[in-house]
Amino acid sequence: MDVDIEDILAELNTDSTAVDYSGNPLSDGISTNASTLYNNTSSSFPIADGKHATPSDKLNHIRSNTSPSISAEHDYSSFITLWRNERCAPELLPYPHHLMTRMIMRIQDQLERLEIISMDFMGQSSTTTTTTTNKPVNNNNMLPLLCMEAELERIKFVIRSYIRCRLSKIDKFSLYLRQINEQREEDHDDQDNDSLMPLEHILSKDEMVYYQRHSEMILKLFNETTLKHLPPELQAINDTTGTISMIDEPDWNKFVFIKVTGPTDKSFNNDPLLRNGSNGKYFYEVIIPELEEDVELFIGSIYVMRYSVIKNLLLDGKVILI
Amino acid sequence: MYCELANKLVVEAKRTEQLNSRNNARTTLPVHNDELVRDILNEVTQLKKNLEFFKEQQDIMSMDGASVDSNVMKCQYFVNLLCLERNKRCLLGYQKLRSDMLDSMAWENNGMDVMGSDLGEENSNLTHQEQEYLKKYSELITDMKSGELTDIDLSGSLTPPREIFIDVRVLKDAGEIQTEYGVFNLIKDSQFFVRQSDVERLIQQGFLQKI
């Protein structure tokens, strides 16, 4: 007779690490402030589960102890996901403040370390009598140094590409962003305007500065070259009353390739959106509004979808763009 | 016809775009078509006058109580207004294309060792407003780089790094240029085996050729 003792084994496993987790102040603080979408959750796992705040989910989270700790590796992989999403999505996605500060901190650290090690190395190669023998670079081996350098270059490239992509989107949607900001200021009393995230969440500080200064500049250029000469009623740059709206909105209906990854903590039972199919596979059900058609998105498969349909799933980190 | 000149302007803009998309090496901006723009602006003032005239006429008509012609008047007014809008669209589109190209110029030329030498041969093609804009935008980019992201060279190359060390050949320059990571004596037609990150800028500037 078979007795399935996997649960018991799992419990035993968690027992041994329980001290570790409870003693970790970082992961604790994160699970409490993971209430808002995308941005705050990004402190623990950037694009990852926004639905994390539901109590049952959280409970399970603590019980099963699957909470991903903040590791450099994890940050990197989630940053790659973010980068990919940003490059494929038609709109500007929220900025991962916490993740980014951590990445930049690490890069600075690593740069310093690299410098120190290479200094050591230089010193050793010139005066071979240096006494520090506990460094691994002792044996004139350049390989780790080269690897570290290459790694840094790669990470820097990804970040550079990410930021440049965002900047180009900011340029493209500057009027639209301004409109969002103004709308928010107008109906400030409404608490539940989820669709309108504050600009501080979407943009980083530097991007904010860039956005403001650049839109100012470009407005000045347009004013001086053309708008000044036009009749006053046509001088607005964000005119929506004319035949064609001058505000470029993101193309919400753009087709994107998605891969359905499912909830990040792999606890399929706790995701309220997840359904169980007839063949035992889990899927999300989304509705395409124009066609009024239901689509079942099975976990692990790839689809071409309209962006507006999967936007919420994307922000919750349940699908990724490819 | 109305807006014919504006159409010409847009066609020209399109040609510029195509030229630049084909040779992806460097964006070169043609001369700002001042004459055409001025002509269009003249047309705009003409249209504006027409509009005012129609408005007056309409007022007079309504005084007289002749309601039959007012629809025709409205139509005339509307057509004129549409022409104005169309002119505006074309003018702004032209300007936007130019400013976008200026942006890309600023990005690809920026972060070079010699920042001040933006004043290339293209600069004579720009109107002085555009020159001012370009200068300001370059300033903005420099500020962006000195912000939080100091260690990430934003204007650096957007092609992913492959190896750390590469072979480069010196294309045109002689003399010692690089002083950041030690001095290289760059003599024309000589080859070097150097770290990629050191020479990235020189490649962007066109001094070196990657092999």
Side-chain angles (χ1 to χ4, degrees), chain A residues 230, chain B residues 2-7 9 40-41 43-44 47 81-93:
Chain A
L230 292 173
Chain B
Y2 289 146
C3 306
E4 209 174 349
L5 294 171
N7 200 28
L9 196 68
I40 295 170
L41 288 177
E43 191 187 311
V44 165
L47 283 169
L81 194 68
L82 283 186
C83 283
L84 267 180
E85 268 185 20
R86 195 180 152 81
N87 274 332
K88 179 190 175 188
R89 257 173 81 73
C90 295
L91 283 174
L92 282 183

mmCIF file with all atom_site columns, all heavy atoms in Angstrom, chain A residues 230, chain B residues 2-7 9 40-41 43-44 47 81-93:
data_model
loop_
_atom_site.group_PDB
_atom_site.id
_atom_site.type_symbol
_atom_site.label_atom_id
_atom_site.label_alt_id
_atom_site.label_comp_id
_atom_site.label_asym_id
_atom_site.label_entity_id
_atom_site.label_seq_id
_atom_site.pdbx_PDB_ins_code
_atom_site.Cartn_x
_atom_site.Cartn_y
_atom_site.Cartn_z
_atom_site.occupancy
_atom_site.B_iso_or_equiv
_atom_site.pdbx_formal_charge
_atom_site.auth_seq_id
_atom_site.auth_comp_id
_atom_site.auth_asym_id
_atom_site.auth_atom_id
_atom_site.pdbx_PDB_model_num
ATOM 1   N N   . LEU A 1 230 ? 0.166   80.700 -36.276 1.00 0.00 ? 230 LEU A N   1
ATOM 2   C CA  . LEU A 1 230 ? -1.185  80.224 -36.551 1.00 0.00 ? 230 LEU A CA  1
ATOM 3   C C   . LEU A 1 230 ? -2.203  81.090 -35.808 1.00 0.00 ? 230 LEU A C   1
ATOM 4   O O   . LEU A 1 230 ? -1.862  81.759 -34.840 1.00 0.00 ? 230 LEU A O   1
ATOM 5   C CB  . LEU A 1 230 ? -1.327  78.770 -36.118 1.00 0.00 ? 230 LEU A CB  1
ATOM 6   C CG  . LEU A 1 230 ? -0.537  77.765 -36.939 1.00 0.00 ? 230 LEU A CG  1
ATOM 7   C CD1 . LEU A 1 230 ? -0.621  76.391 -36.313 1.00 0.00 ? 230 LEU A CD1 1
ATOM 8   C CD2 . LEU A 1 230 ? -1.033  77.722 -38.361 1.00 0.00 ? 230 LEU A CD2 1
ATOM 9   N N   . TYR B 2 2   ? -6.098  74.546 -52.126 1.00 0.00 ? 2   TYR B N   1
ATOM 10  C CA  . TYR B 2 2   ? -5.696  74.732 -50.734 1.00 0.00 ? 2   TYR B CA  1
ATOM 11  C C   . TYR B 2 2   ? -4.777  73.580 -50.307 1.00 0.00 ? 2   TYR B C   1
ATOM 12  O O   . TYR B 2 2   ? -4.922  72.450 -50.759 1.00 0.00 ? 2   TYR B O   1
ATOM 13  C CB  . TYR B 2 2   ? -6.910  74.720 -49.794 1.00 0.00 ? 2   TYR B CB  1
ATOM 14  C CG  . TYR B 2 2   ? -7.789  75.936 -49.896 1.00 0.00 ? 2   TYR B CG  1
ATOM 15  C CD1 . TYR B 2 2   ? -9.154  75.822 -49.726 1.00 0.00 ? 2   TYR B CD1 1
ATOM 16  C CD2 . TYR B 2 2   ? -7.237  77.188 -50.128 1.00 0.00 ? 2   TYR B CD2 1
ATOM 17  C CE1 . TYR B 2 2   ? -9.957  76.922 -49.807 1.00 0.00 ? 2   TYR B CE1 1
ATOM 18  C CE2 . TYR B 2 2   ? -8.046  78.298 -50.218 1.00 0.00 ? 2   TYR B CE2 1
ATOM 19  C CZ  . TYR B 2 2   ? -9.407  78.161 -50.056 1.00 0.00 ? 2   TYR B CZ  1
ATOM 20  O OH  . TYR B 2 2   ? -10.194 79.245 -50.139 1.00 0.00 ? 2   TYR B OH  1
ATOM 21  N N   . CYS B 2 3   ? -3.877  73.868 -49.426 1.00 0.00 ? 3   CYS B N   1
ATOM 22  C CA  . CYS B 2 3   ? -3.056  72.833 -48.775 1.00 0.00 ? 3   CYS B CA  1
ATOM 23  C C   . CYS B 2 3   ? -2.140  72.088 -49.737 1.00 0.00 ? 3   CYS B C   1
ATOM 24  O O   . CYS B 2 3   ? -1.582  71.070 -49.397 1.00 0.00 ? 3   CYS B O   1
ATOM 25  C CB  . CYS B 2 3   ? -3.901  71.789 -48.049 1.00 0.00 ? 3   CYS B CB  1
ATOM 26  S SG  . CYS B 2 3   ? -5.026  72.477 -46.896 1.00 0.00 ? 3   CYS B SG  1
ATOM 27  N N   . GLU B 2 4   ? -2.016  72.579 -50.945 1.00 0.00 ? 4   GLU B N   1
ATOM 28  C CA  . GLU B 2 4   ? -1.142  71.896 -51.889 1.00 0.00 ? 4   GLU B CA  1
ATOM 29  C C   . GLU B 2 4   ? 0.314   72.027 -51.451 1.00 0.00 ? 4   GLU B C   1
ATOM 30  O O   . GLU B 2 4   ? 1.101   71.079 -51.512 1.00 0.00 ? 4   GLU B O   1
ATOM 31  C CB  . GLU B 2 4   ? -1.337  72.498 -53.266 1.00 0.00 ? 4   GLU B CB  1
ATOM 32  C CG  . GLU B 2 4   ? -1.078  71.507 -54.376 1.00 0.00 ? 4   GLU B CG  1
ATOM 33  C CD  . GLU B 2 4   ? -1.416  72.102 -55.716 1.00 0.00 ? 4   GLU B CD  1
ATOM 34  O OE1 . GLU B 2 4   ? -2.041  73.192 -55.742 1.00 0.00 ? 4   GLU B OE1 1
ATOM 35  O OE2 . GLU B 2 4   ? -1.051  71.499 -56.726 1.00 0.00 ? 4   GLU B OE2 1
ATOM 36  N N   . LEU B 2 5   ? 0.620   73.228 -50.999 1.00 0.00 ? 5   LEU B N   1
ATOM 37  C CA  . LEU B 2 5   ? 1.988   73.483 -50.543 1.00 0.00 ? 5   LEU B CA  1
ATOM 38  C C   . LEU B 2 5   ? 2.328   72.611 -49.340 1.00 0.00 ? 5   LEU B C   1
ATOM 39  O O   . LEU B 2 5   ? 3.422   72.058 -49.240 1.00 0.00 ? 5   LEU B O   1
ATOM 40  C CB  . LEU B 2 5   ? 2.142   74.954 -50.176 1.00 0.00 ? 5   LEU B CB  1
ATOM 41  C CG  . LEU B 2 5   ? 2.017   75.926 -51.342 1.00 0.00 ? 5   LEU B CG  1
ATOM 42  C CD1 . LEU B 2 5   ? 1.954   77.346 -50.838 1.00 0.00 ? 5   LEU B CD1 1
ATOM 43  C CD2 . LEU B 2 5   ? 3.199   75.756 -52.274 1.00 0.00 ? 5   LEU B CD2 1
ATOM 44  N N   . ALA B 2 6   ? 1.355   72.507 -48.455 1.00 0.00 ? 6   ALA B N   1
ATOM 45  C CA  . ALA B 2 6   ? 1.578   71.688 -47.257 1.00 0.00 ? 6   ALA B CA  1
ATOM 46  C C   . ALA B 2 6   ? 1.834   70.250 -47.649 1.00 0.00 ? 6   ALA B C   1
ATOM 47  O O   . ALA B 2 6   ? 2.684   69.575 -47.076 1.00 0.00 ? 6   ALA B O   1
ATOM 48  C CB  . ALA B 2 6   ? 0.369   71.770 -46.331 1.00 0.00 ? 6   ALA B CB  1
ATOM 49  N N   . ASN B 2 7   ? 1.104   69.813 -48.654 1.00 0.00 ? 7   ASN B N   1
ATOM 50  C CA  . ASN B 2 7   ? 1.312   68.454 -49.135 1.00 0.00 ? 7   ASN B CA  1
ATOM 51  C C   . ASN B 2 7   ? 2.741   68.268 -49.634 1.00 0.00 ? 7   ASN B C   1
ATOM 52  O O   . ASN B 2 7   ? 3.386   67.265 -49.360 1.00 0.00 ? 7   ASN B O   1
ATOM 53  C CB  . ASN B 2 7   ? 0.309   68.170 -50.256 1.00 0.00 ? 7   ASN B CB  1
ATOM 54  C CG  . ASN B 2 7   ? 0.128   66.701 -50.463 1.00 0.00 ? 7   ASN B CG  1
ATOM 55  O OD1 . ASN B 2 7   ? 0.307   65.930 -49.514 1.00 0.00 ? 7   ASN B OD1 1
ATOM 56  N ND2 . ASN B 2 7   ? -0.179  66.307 -51.673 1.00 0.00 ? 7   ASN B ND2 1
ATOM 57  N N   . LEU B 2 9   ? 5.294   69.816 -48.633 1.00 0.00 ? 9   LEU B N   1
ATOM 58  C CA  . LEU B 2 9   ? 6.161   69.780 -47.450 1.00 0.00 ? 9   LEU B CA  1
ATOM 59  C C   . LEU B 2 9   ? 6.198   68.382 -46.853 1.00 0.00 ? 9   LEU B C   1
ATOM 60  O O   . LEU B 2 9   ? 7.256   67.858 -46.502 1.00 0.00 ? 9   LEU B O   1
ATOM 61  C CB  . LEU B 2 9   ? 5.640   70.777 -46.418 1.00 0.00 ? 9   LEU B CB  1
ATOM 62  C CG  . LEU B 2 9   ? 6.599   71.156 -45.296 1.00 0.00 ? 9   LEU B CG  1
ATOM 63  C CD1 . LEU B 2 9   ? 7.729   71.957 -45.866 1.00 0.00 ? 9   LEU B CD1 1
ATOM 64  C CD2 . LEU B 2 9   ? 5.876   71.915 -44.234 1.00 0.00 ? 9   LEU B CD2 1
ATOM 65  N N   . ILE B 2 40  ? 3.277   78.608 -46.842 1.00 0.00 ? 40  ILE B N   1
ATOM 66  C CA  . ILE B 2 40  ? 2.135   77.975 -46.179 1.00 0.00 ? 40  ILE B CA  1
ATOM 67  C C   . ILE B 2 40  ? 1.554   78.899 -45.126 1.00 0.00 ? 40  ILE B C   1
ATOM 68  O O   . ILE B 2 40  ? 0.335   79.037 -44.998 1.00 0.00 ? 40  ILE B O   1
ATOM 69  C CB  . ILE B 2 40  ? 2.557   76.636 -45.554 1.00 0.00 ? 40  ILE B CB  1
ATOM 70  C CG1 . ILE B 2 40  ? 2.956   75.652 -46.638 1.00 0.00 ? 40  ILE B CG1 1
ATOM 71  C CG2 . ILE B 2 40  ? 1.422   76.037 -44.738 1.00 0.00 ? 40  ILE B CG2 1
ATOM 72  C CD1 . ILE B 2 40  ? 3.594   74.407 -46.115 1.00 0.00 ? 40  ILE B CD1 1
ATOM 73  N N   . LEU B 2 41  ? 2.448   79.552 -44.411 1.00 0.00 ? 41  LEU B N   1
ATOM 74  C CA  . LEU B 2 41  ? 1.956   80.461 -43.383 1.00 0.00 ? 41  LEU B CA  1
ATOM 75  C C   . LEU B 2 41  ? 1.183   81.616 -44.016 1.00 0.00 ? 41  LEU B C   1
ATOM 76  O O   . LEU B 2 41  ? 0.178   82.083 -43.462 1.00 0.00 ? 41  LEU B O   1
ATOM 77  C CB  . LEU B 2 41  ? 3.118   80.989 -42.533 1.00 0.00 ? 41  LEU B CB  1
ATOM 78  C CG  . LEU B 2 41  ? 3.706   79.930 -41.589 1.00 0.00 ? 41  LEU B CG  1
ATOM 79  C CD1 . LEU B 2 41  ? 4.888   80.489 -40.839 1.00 0.00 ? 41  LEU B CD1 1
ATOM 80  C CD2 . LEU B 2 41  ? 2.658   79.431 -40.617 1.00 0.00 ? 41  LEU B CD2 1
ATOM 81  N N   . GLU B 2 43  ? -0.560  81.322 -46.707 1.00 0.00 ? 43  GLU B N   1
ATOM 82  C CA  . GLU B 2 43  ? -1.853  80.736 -47.040 1.00 0.00 ? 43  GLU B CA  1
ATOM 83  C C   . GLU B 2 43  ? -2.740  80.691 -45.804 1.00 0.00 ? 43  GLU B C   1
ATOM 84  O O   . GLU B 2 43  ? -3.947  80.948 -45.879 1.00 0.00 ? 43  GLU B O   1
ATOM 85  C CB  . GLU B 2 43  ? -1.639  79.329 -47.595 1.00 0.00 ? 43  GLU B CB  1
ATOM 86  C CG  . GLU B 2 43  ? -2.878  78.725 -48.206 1.00 0.00 ? 43  GLU B CG  1
ATOM 87  C CD  . GLU B 2 43  ? -2.662  77.266 -48.602 1.00 0.00 ? 43  GLU B CD  1
ATOM 88  O OE1 . GLU B 2 43  ? -1.659  76.970 -49.257 1.00 0.00 ? 43  GLU B OE1 1
ATOM 89  O OE2 . GLU B 2 43  ? -3.506  76.443 -48.234 1.00 0.00 ? 43  GLU B OE2 1
ATOM 90  N N   . VAL B 2 44  ? -2.092  80.376 -44.677 1.00 0.00 ? 44  VAL B N   1
ATOM 91  C CA  . VAL B 2 44  ? -2.844  80.303 -43.432 1.00 0.00 ? 44  VAL B CA  1
ATOM 92  C C   . VAL B 2 44  ? -3.465  81.648 -43.094 1.00 0.00 ? 44  VAL B C   1
ATOM 93  O O   . VAL B 2 44  ? -4.654  81.739 -42.757 1.00 0.00 ? 44  VAL B O   1
ATOM 94  C CB  . VAL B 2 44  ? -1.930  79.817 -42.285 1.00 0.00 ? 44  VAL B CB  1
ATOM 95  C CG1 . VAL B 2 44  ? -2.581  80.095 -40.938 1.00 0.00 ? 44  VAL B CG1 1
ATOM 96  C CG2 . VAL B 2 44  ? -1.651  78.349 -42.425 1.00 0.00 ? 44  VAL B CG2 1
ATOM 97  N N   . LEU B 2 47  ? -6.396  82.218 -45.327 1.00 0.00 ? 47  LEU B N   1
ATOM 98  C CA  . LEU B 2 47  ? -7.557  81.427 -44.904 1.00 0.00 ? 47  LEU B CA  1
ATOM 99  C C   . LEU B 2 47  ? -8.219  82.062 -43.700 1.00 0.00 ? 47  LEU B C   1
ATOM 100 O O   . LEU B 2 47  ? -9.444  82.114 -43.579 1.00 0.00 ? 47  LEU B O   1
ATOM 101 C CB  . LEU B 2 47  ? -7.121  80.004 -44.562 1.00 0.00 ? 47  LEU B CB  1
ATOM 102 C CG  . LEU B 2 47  ? -6.844  79.076 -45.730 1.00 0.00 ? 47  LEU B CG  1
ATOM 103 C CD1 . LEU B 2 47  ? -6.172  77.811 -45.252 1.00 0.00 ? 47  LEU B CD1 1
ATOM 104 C CD2 . LEU B 2 47  ? -8.136  78.734 -46.427 1.00 0.00 ? 47  LEU B CD2 1
ATOM 105 N N   . LEU B 2 81  ? -11.984 76.149 -42.366 1.00 0.00 ? 81  LEU B N   1
ATOM 106 C CA  . LEU B 2 81  ? -11.438 75.733 -41.063 1.00 0.00 ? 81  LEU B CA  1
ATOM 107 C C   . LEU B 2 81  ? -10.654 74.429 -41.208 1.00 0.00 ? 81  LEU B C   1
ATOM 108 O O   . LEU B 2 81  ? -9.555  74.278 -40.672 1.00 0.00 ? 81  LEU B O   1
ATOM 109 C CB  . LEU B 2 81  ? -12.582 75.541 -40.078 1.00 0.00 ? 81  LEU B CB  1
ATOM 110 C CG  . LEU B 2 81  ? -12.149 75.446 -38.619 1.00 0.00 ? 81  LEU B CG  1
ATOM 111 C CD1 . LEU B 2 81  ? -11.624 76.785 -38.167 1.00 0.00 ? 81  LEU B CD1 1
ATOM 112 C CD2 . LEU B 2 81  ? -13.305 75.012 -37.753 1.00 0.00 ? 81  LEU B CD2 1
ATOM 113 N N   . LEU B 2 82  ? -11.239 73.524 -41.977 1.00 0.00 ? 82  LEU B N   1
ATOM 114 C CA  . LEU B 2 82  ? -10.561 72.239 -42.179 1.00 0.00 ? 82  LEU B CA  1
ATOM 115 C C   . LEU B 2 82  ? -9.215  72.439 -42.863 1.00 0.00 ? 82  LEU B C   1
ATOM 116 O O   . LEU B 2 82  ? -8.222  71.800 -42.511 1.00 0.00 ? 82  LEU B O   1
ATOM 117 C CB  . LEU B 2 82  ? -11.430 71.305 -43.006 1.00 0.00 ? 82  LEU B CB  1
ATOM 118 C CG  . LEU B 2 82  ? -12.589 70.651 -42.271 1.00 0.00 ? 82  LEU B CG  1
ATOM 119 C CD1 . LEU B 2 82  ? -13.262 69.633 -43.173 1.00 0.00 ? 82  LEU B CD1 1
ATOM 120 C CD2 . LEU B 2 82  ? -12.108 69.972 -41.010 1.00 0.00 ? 82  LEU B CD2 1
ATOM 121 N N   . CYS B 2 83  ? -9.201  73.351 -43.817 1.00 0.00 ? 83  CYS B N   1
ATOM 122 C CA  . CYS B 2 83  ? -7.946  73.615 -44.513 1.00 0.00 ? 83  CYS B CA  1
ATOM 123 C C   . CYS B 2 83  ? -6.911  74.155 -43.537 1.00 0.00 ? 83  CYS B C   1
ATOM 124 O O   . CYS B 2 83  ? -5.730  73.786 -43.587 1.00 0.00 ? 83  CYS B O   1
ATOM 125 C CB  . CYS B 2 83  ? -8.165  74.607 -45.636 1.00 0.00 ? 83  CYS B CB  1
ATOM 126 S SG  . CYS B 2 83  ? -8.925  73.837 -47.039 1.00 0.00 ? 83  CYS B SG  1
ATOM 127 N N   . LEU B 2 84  ? -7.355  75.021 -42.661 1.00 0.00 ? 84  LEU B N   1
ATOM 128 C CA  . LEU B 2 84  ? -6.442  75.559 -41.654 1.00 0.00 ? 84  LEU B CA  1
ATOM 129 C C   . LEU B 2 84  ? -5.870  74.429 -40.814 1.00 0.00 ? 84  LEU B C   1
ATOM 130 O O   . LEU B 2 84  ? -4.660  74.352 -40.583 1.00 0.00 ? 84  LEU B O   1
ATOM 131 C CB  . LEU B 2 84  ? -7.189  76.525 -40.742 1.00 0.00 ? 84  LEU B CB  1
ATOM 132 C CG  . LEU B 2 84  ? -7.152  77.993 -41.127 1.00 0.00 ? 84  LEU B CG  1
ATOM 133 C CD1 . LEU B 2 84  ? -7.923  78.794 -40.121 1.00 0.00 ? 84  LEU B CD1 1
ATOM 134 C CD2 . LEU B 2 84  ? -5.715  78.465 -41.186 1.00 0.00 ? 84  LEU B CD2 1
ATOM 135 N N   . GLU B 2 85  ? -6.749  73.563 -40.363 1.00 0.00 ? 85  GLU B N   1
ATOM 136 C CA  . GLU B 2 85  ? -6.296  72.457 -39.514 1.00 0.00 ? 85  GLU B CA  1
ATOM 137 C C   . GLU B 2 85  ? -5.313  71.569 -40.243 1.00 0.00 ? 85  GLU B C   1
ATOM 138 O O   . GLU B 2 85  ? -4.315  71.143 -39.685 1.00 0.00 ? 85  GLU B O   1
ATOM 139 C CB  . GLU B 2 85  ? -7.501  71.624 -39.064 1.00 0.00 ? 85  GLU B CB  1
ATOM 140 C CG  . GLU B 2 85  ? -8.060  72.094 -37.738 1.00 0.00 ? 85  GLU B CG  1
ATOM 141 C CD  . GLU B 2 85  ? -9.167  71.178 -37.271 1.00 0.00 ? 85  GLU B CD  1
ATOM 142 O OE1 . GLU B 2 85  ? -9.233  70.031 -37.758 1.00 0.00 ? 85  GLU B OE1 1
ATOM 143 O OE2 . GLU B 2 85  ? -9.962  71.614 -36.435 1.00 0.00 ? 85  GLU B OE2 1
ATOM 144 N N   . ARG B 2 86  ? -5.623  71.359 -41.506 1.00 0.00 ? 86  ARG B N   1
ATOM 145 C CA  . ARG B 2 86  ? -4.755  70.495 -42.281 1.00 0.00 ? 86  ARG B CA  1
ATOM 146 C C   . ARG B 2 86  ? -3.373  71.107 -42.439 1.00 0.00 ? 86  ARG B C   1
ATOM 147 O O   . ARG B 2 86  ? -2.355  70.425 -42.291 1.00 0.00 ? 86  ARG B O   1
ATOM 148 C CB  . ARG B 2 86  ? -5.388  70.258 -43.650 1.00 0.00 ? 86  ARG B CB  1
ATOM 149 C CG  . ARG B 2 86  ? -4.782  69.115 -44.389 1.00 0.00 ? 86  ARG B CG  1
ATOM 150 C CD  . ARG B 2 86  ? -5.466  68.971 -45.717 1.00 0.00 ? 86  ARG B CD  1
ATOM 151 N NE  . ARG B 2 86  ? -4.543  68.393 -46.675 1.00 0.00 ? 86  ARG B NE  1
ATOM 152 C CZ  . ARG B 2 86  ? -4.288  67.092 -46.747 1.00 0.00 ? 86  ARG B CZ  1
ATOM 153 N NH1 . ARG B 2 86  ? -4.869  66.277 -45.921 1.00 0.00 ? 86  ARG B NH1 1
ATOM 154 N NH2 . ARG B 2 86  ? -3.444  66.621 -47.632 1.00 0.00 ? 86  ARG B NH2 1
ATOM 155 N N   . ASN B 2 87  ? -3.362  72.394 -42.680 1.00 0.00 ? 87  ASN B N   1
ATOM 156 C CA  . ASN B 2 87  ? -2.069  73.077 -42.768 1.00 0.00 ? 87  ASN B CA  1
ATOM 157 C C   . ASN B 2 87  ? -1.290  72.945 -41.470 1.00 0.00 ? 87  ASN B C   1
ATOM 158 O O   . ASN B 2 87  ? -0.092  72.714 -41.470 1.00 0.00 ? 87  ASN B O   1
ATOM 159 C CB  . ASN B 2 87  ? -2.279  74.550 -43.090 1.00 0.00 ? 87  ASN B CB  1
ATOM 160 C CG  . ASN B 2 87  ? -2.386  74.779 -44.580 1.00 0.00 ? 87  ASN B CG  1
ATOM 161 O OD1 . ASN B 2 87  ? -1.815  74.012 -45.350 1.00 0.00 ? 87  ASN B OD1 1
ATOM 162 N ND2 . ASN B 2 87  ? -3.109  75.793 -44.969 1.00 0.00 ? 87  ASN B ND2 1
ATOM 163 N N   . LYS B 2 88  ? -2.021  73.099 -40.394 1.00 0.00 ? 88  LYS B N   1
ATOM 164 C CA  . LYS B 2 88  ? -1.358  72.994 -39.092 1.00 0.00 ? 88  LYS B CA  1
ATOM 165 C C   . LYS B 2 88  ? -0.762  71.603 -38.911 1.00 0.00 ? 88  LYS B C   1
ATOM 166 O O   . LYS B 2 88  ? 0.382   71.456 -38.468 1.00 0.00 ? 88  LYS B O   1
ATOM 167 C CB  . LYS B 2 88  ? -2.385  73.268 -37.998 1.00 0.00 ? 88  LYS B CB  1
ATOM 168 C CG  . LYS B 2 88  ? -1.829  73.163 -36.603 1.00 0.00 ? 88  LYS B CG  1
ATOM 169 C CD  . LYS B 2 88  ? -2.954  73.211 -35.577 1.00 0.00 ? 88  LYS B CD  1
ATOM 170 C CE  . LYS B 2 88  ? -2.420  72.982 -34.196 1.00 0.00 ? 88  LYS B CE  1
ATOM 171 N NZ  . LYS B 2 88  ? -3.487  72.824 -33.218 1.00 0.00 ? 88  LYS B NZ  1
ATOM 172 N N   . ARG B 2 89  ? -1.538  70.611 -39.269 1.00 0.00 ? 89  ARG B N   1
ATOM 173 C CA  . ARG B 2 89  ? -1.050  69.231 -39.140 1.00 0.00 ? 89  ARG B CA  1
ATOM 174 C C   . ARG B 2 89  ? 0.227   69.012 -39.934 1.00 0.00 ? 89  ARG B C   1
ATOM 175 O O   . ARG B 2 89  ? 1.195   68.440 -39.435 1.00 0.00 ? 89  ARG B O   1
ATOM 176 C CB  . ARG B 2 89  ? -2.114  68.266 -39.663 1.00 0.00 ? 89  ARG B CB  1
ATOM 177 C CG  . ARG B 2 89  ? -2.888  67.558 -38.602 1.00 0.00 ? 89  ARG B CG  1
ATOM 178 C CD  . ARG B 2 89  ? -4.002  66.785 -39.245 1.00 0.00 ? 89  ARG B CD  1
ATOM 179 N NE  . ARG B 2 89  ? -3.540  65.516 -39.787 1.00 0.00 ? 89  ARG B NE  1
ATOM 180 C CZ  . ARG B 2 89  ? -3.217  64.455 -39.051 1.00 0.00 ? 89  ARG B CZ  1
ATOM 181 N NH1 . ARG B 2 89  ? -3.298  64.530 -37.754 1.00 0.00 ? 89  ARG B NH1 1
ATOM 182 N NH2 . ARG B 2 89  ? -2.821  63.346 -39.603 1.00 0.00 ? 89  ARG B NH2 1
ATOM 183 N N   . CYS B 2 90  ? 0.210   69.519 -41.147 1.00 0.00 ? 90  CYS B N   1
ATOM 184 C CA  . CYS B 2 90  ? 1.379   69.301 -41.996 1.00 0.00 ? 90  CYS B CA  1
ATOM 185 C C   . CYS B 2 90  ? 2.599   70.022 -41.437 1.00 0.00 ? 90  CYS B C   1
ATOM 186 O O   . CYS B 2 90  ? 3.695   69.460 -41.372 1.00 0.00 ? 90  CYS B O   1
ATOM 187 C CB  . CYS B 2 90  ? 1.089   69.768 -43.417 1.00 0.00 ? 90  CYS B CB  1
ATOM 188 S SG  . CYS B 2 90  ? -0.185  68.805 -44.211 1.00 0.00 ? 90  CYS B SG  1
ATOM 189 N N   . LEU B 2 91  ? 2.394   71.253 -41.034 1.00 0.00 ? 91  LEU B N   1
ATOM 190 C CA  . LEU B 2 91  ? 3.518   72.025 -40.501 1.00 0.00 ? 91  LEU B CA  1
ATOM 191 C C   . LEU B 2 91  ? 4.098   71.349 -39.267 1.00 0.00 ? 91  LEU B C   1
ATOM 192 O O   . LEU B 2 91  ? 5.312   71.185 -39.132 1.00 0.00 ? 91  LEU B O   1
ATOM 193 C CB  . LEU B 2 91  ? 3.073   73.443 -40.141 1.00 0.00 ? 91  LEU B CB  1
ATOM 194 C CG  . LEU B 2 91  ? 2.893   74.409 -41.297 1.00 0.00 ? 91  LEU B CG  1
ATOM 195 C CD1 . LEU B 2 91  ? 2.303   75.703 -40.793 1.00 0.00 ? 91  LEU B CD1 1
ATOM 196 C CD2 . LEU B 2 91  ? 4.227   74.668 -41.957 1.00 0.00 ? 91  LEU B CD2 1
ATOM 197 N N   . LEU B 2 92  ? 3.211   70.949 -38.383 1.00 0.00 ? 92  LEU B N   1
ATOM 198 C CA  . LEU B 2 92  ? 3.690   70.317 -37.151 1.00 0.00 ? 92  LEU B CA  1
ATOM 199 C C   . LEU B 2 92  ? 4.345   68.973 -37.435 1.00 0.00 ? 92  LEU B C   1
ATOM 200 O O   . LEU B 2 92  ? 5.344   68.628 -36.805 1.00 0.00 ? 92  LEU B O   1
ATOM 201 C CB  . LEU B 2 92  ? 2.540   70.132 -36.162 1.00 0.00 ? 92  LEU B CB  1
ATOM 202 C CG  . LEU B 2 92  ? 2.120   71.382 -35.411 1.00 0.00 ? 92  LEU B CG  1
ATOM 203 C CD1 . LEU B 2 92  ? 1.029   71.049 -34.425 1.00 0.00 ? 92  LEU B CD1 1
ATOM 204 C CD2 . LEU B 2 92  ? 3.296   71.992 -34.669 1.00 0.00 ? 92  LEU B CD2 1
ATOM 205 N N   . GLY B 2 93  ? 3.775   68.265 -38.392 1.00 0.00 ? 93  GLY B N   1
ATOM 206 C CA  . GLY B 2 93  ? 4.367   66.985 -38.735 1.00 0.00 ? 93  GLY B CA  1
ATOM 207 C C   . GLY B 2 93  ? 5.785   67.153 -39.243 1.00 0.00 ? 93  GLY B C   1
ATOM 208 O O   . GLY B 2 93  ? 6.697   66.430 -38.840 1.00 0.00 ? 93  GLY B O   1
#
